[in-house]
Structure formats: C-alpha cells, structure tokens
Amino acid sequence: MPALGEAAPDFELLNQFGEPVRLSELRGRNVVVVFFPFAFSGICTGELCEIRDNLALFEDSDAVVLGISVDSKFAQRAYAEKEGYAFDLLADFWPHGAVAEQYGVFDPGTGMAKRGTFIIDANGIVRYLVVNPRGQARDFTEYRTALAGLGRN
C-alpha cells in the first residue's frame, strides 16, 4: 500500500465505455481513487450515490473521481447508467484485481477490492488514505476535510 507522502502507483484501466484511463495522465489535477467491492451492492451504491450527489465538492477542489472495482467494463457501464454516475468507473477485471493489489486493497480470499480511498494531489502524491473494514461505509465528511487541505490547482 502506498504511504502518505509517497507517489501513487500509476495504472491504466478501462472505464465503463471501454476507454483507457491512466492515472499519470491526470497530473495537474487532484484525483480521488475510490476502490469498492462490487457494482450494484448496497453499501457501494450508497457511497457512490453520495459522491454523485455531491460531485460539486470534488469539482470545486479540481478533483477527478475514479471508482474502481473488479467488475467488468460492461457491469460498470450498466451500473453507471442505472445510478446516473457522471464520473469514471474503472474495471480492474483482468488481471483480476491487479490495481487493487498494487494499492494494497485486494482481498484474495473474496476476490474483491476492499473499501479503500486514496486522495492524490496534482503532483501524484498520496495525501489521504483510508481502508474501511468490510461492511462499514466510508465517512463522507472525511472527503471534505482531505480535499480542503489540497486546495485548488
């Protein structure tokens, strides 16, 4: 798992439209990487809908939101369309969970990503991270605090 103050590991994954998204190409903007276990699951949907409903908070901090799970791009697209997500959902489908593993949040026993959040500044440095226990939703107010500490680029 990358530590606070370290460079975030670069990755490239396909979004829900099959378009490649590379973390390093987002330099110059803050990035919020939200690993979630599975599309269409209860807690995940609640968390991502909270991001959807408060997207202005991220935009005001010049932050791009990337949701990542081990689901396929097809499942991600259906999920984004059903819930109206206006941010990228990335498929860490194959090699299965490789990016989640790179970030230290892959659970090989269940084959899914843990609820990990990494806020990366415009220079690619991890400035905030949290991994929530299974079944425990993230605290949305922590996003506000972490993003406020970054400022706008």
Side-chain angles (χ1 to χ4, degrees), residues 14-98:
L14 298 179
N15 69 9
Q16 66 265 38
F17 303 107
E19 303 162 336
V21 175
R22 179 176 287 281
L23 180 63
S24 59
E25 290 179 0
L26 297 171
R27 291 272 162 76
R29 298 192 67 192
N30 300 313
V31 181
V32 180
V33 178
V34 179
F35 288 94
F36 61 98
F38 293 111
F40 298 103
S41 59
I43 294 173
C44 298
T45 299
E47 289 178 325
L48 295 180
C49 284
E50 195 160 13
I51 291 171
R52 176 200 66 201
D53 296 345
N54 293 280
L55 203 54
L57 165 72
F58 300 93
E59 292 168 349
D60 290 348
S61 298
D62 196 26
V64 176
V65 175
L66 302 176
I68 302 176
S69 76
V70 298
D71 297 291
S72 73
K73 67 181 178 186
F74 305 106
Q76 299 289 37
R77 186 167 186 170
Y79 188 40
E81 287 176 0
K82 180 181 184 302
E83 299 300 337
Y85 300 141
F87 49 89
D88 283 324
L89 296 183
L90 305 182
D92 193 11
F93 183 71
W94 197 257
H96 187 77

Side-chain angles (χ1 to χ4, degrees), residues 1-2 31-33 35 103 105 116-120 126 128-129 131:
M1 178 178 299
V31 181
V32 180
V33 178
F35 288 94
Y103 276 75
V105 296
T117 304
F118 298 82
I119 297 182
I120 302 161
V126 176
Y128 170 86
L129 68 92
V131 179

